[in-house]
Amino acid sequence: MQIRIMIAEDERLAREELVYLLEQESNVVVLPCATNGRELLQLVEEYEPDVVFLDIRMPELEGDQAARMLAARKKQPLLVFSTAHEDYAVEAFKLNAVDYLLKPTEPHRLKETLQRLRKRLAEAAPPSAPPPAAKVAKMIIEDNNRLVVIDPSTVMYAVRDERVVQIWTEGDVYTTRMTLQQLEEKLQAYPFFRTHKSYLVNLQYVSELQPWFNGAYNLILKGPNPVKLPVSRTAAKDLLKRLEG
């Protein structure tokens, strides 16, 4: 995980030392530094750092005051306080600092701090989207006492009929004891949509929607013999969004 870090430090040697140590670490980007609290606020607005290392005592606007102002931002950077005085440790943690470093910065303590920062940033990161389902070239269906191989793209729709599911393709009809939910999971990489609790439809075959009553629709599938299928009122809104892309 890459961490974008900004340093706010008015002492040149302390600032340069911290920059040097951070640049030795992998996946760390050091942003332009601030030399006082007011400059820090301006640079944070411009660069939106993940983390700010700041001295508690700085000219113009001190670090603790700047920290309170940063806490009011919608997107708050994580804070690490750096100071030569141990007395400010309690104050730093009152301001929700992730860590507190004493000057001069010791490399092993900085590494510990970076570990804490990575953990906090990972916890705050939004969950990654699951990878898209891979398309299966063929699908095996148990039809009565035989196994039938079907091209999923040729399935027009499926309908639940009591304890079985009928799968309608461009040229055939198959009957299986697979549930409609199981079939939907197999076809998740294809543009199928549950228009009704008993119907699963391939949107590639949709040619028309006809308003019915009470917010419901009838859906027309294209083909030599057009098929009319129901769209429930609860599914209609989501179906329209899917069709519009």
Side-chain angles (χ1 to χ4, degrees), residues 156-173:
M156 299 176 65
Y157 72 96
V159 55
R160 184 177 62 198
D161 183 11
E162 295 184 351
R163 295 186 179 181
V164 297
V165 169
Q166 292 181 344
I167 300 174
W168 292 73
T169 69
E170 295 174 358
D172 294 286
V173 183

Side-chain angles (χ1 to χ4, degrees), residues 37-60:
R38 294 197 185 281
E39 187 180 12
L40 170 64
L41 297 178
Q42 293 171 357
L43 290 175
V44 166
E45 289 296 325
E46 182 177 354
Y47 290 94
E48 301 249 332
D50 301 314
V51 179
V52 173
F53 281 71
L54 73 163
D55 190 0
I56 289 184
R57 294 294 171 249
M58 289 190 296
E60 294 194 32

Side-chain angles (χ1 to χ4, degrees), residues 25-193:
E25 299 292 330
S26 59
N27 296 322
V28 169
V29 176
V30 181
L31 300 173
C33 299
T35 57
N36 60 65
R38 294 197 185 281
E39 187 180 12
L40 170 64
L41 297 178
Q42 293 171 357
L43 290 175
V44 166
E45 289 296 325
E46 182 177 354
Y47 290 94
E48 301 249 332
D50 301 314
V51 179
V52 173
F53 281 71
L54 73 163
D55 190 0
I56 289 184
R57 294 294 171 249
M58 289 190 296
E60 294 194 32
L61 184 67
E62 293 193 338
D64 55 345
Q65 294 173 297
R68 291 186 178 91
M69 297 177 76
L70 291 175
R73 297 180 81 250
K74 185 175 181 180
K75 184 179 179 181
Q76 303 173 22
L78 298 179
L79 300 179
V80 175
F81 283 103
S82 173
T83 182
H85 307 286
E86 294 186 12
D87 300 346
Y88 296 129
V90 174
E91 184 176 0
F93 288 113
K94 282 183 180 178
L95 295 169
N96 295 318
V98 174
D99 208 346
Y100 176 92
L101 295 174
L102 284 175
K103 293 190 263 185
T105 305
E106 296 182 3
H108 77 277
R109 275 289 291 120
L110 181 60
K111 289 182 182 295
E112 292 174 0
T113 297
L114 290 172
Q115 288 179 351
R116 291 192 180 99
L117 290 168
R118 287 193 173 95
K119 182 178 179 181
R120 285 281 293 273
L121 289 169
E123 290 170 350
S128 57
K135 283 191 174 184
V136 290
K138 299 293 181 181
M139 179 173 62
I140 299 177
I141 298 294
E142 185 177 354
D143 179 33
N144 294 321
N145 294 321
R146 60 180 185 149
L147 295 177
V148 182
V149 180
I150 301 175
D151 181 347
S153 64
T154 66
V155 177
M156 299 176 65
Y157 72 96
V159 55
R160 184 177 62 198
D161 183 11
E162 295 184 351
R163 295 186 179 181
V164 297
V165 169
Q166 292 181 344
I167 300 174
W168 292 73
T169 69
E170 295 174 358
D172 294 286
V173 183
Y174 304 97
T175 301
T176 178
R177 292 194 176 277
M178 181 189 303
T179 67
L180 203 59
Q181 177 66 35
Q182 289 171 331
L183 179 62
E184 186 175 14
E185 290 173 359
K186 281 181 175 288
L187 296 170
Q188 61 181 312
Y190 292 83
F192 282 82
F193 185 83

Side-chain angles (χ1 to χ4, degrees), residues 14-28:
R15 185 169 63 247
E16 291 176 353
E17 177 191 38
L18 188 51
V19 168
Y20 173 79
L21 291 174
L22 287 171
E23 287 179 342
Q24 309 311 303
E25 299 292 330
S26 59
N27 296 322
V28 169

Side-chain angles (χ1 to χ4, degrees), residues 156-157 168-171 205 207 220-228:
M156 299 176 65
Y157 72 96
W168 292 73
T169 69
E170 295 174 358
Y205 287 91
S207 64
I220 310 300
L221 298 185
K222 58 189 174 184
N225 299 303
V227 179
K228 182 184 290 187

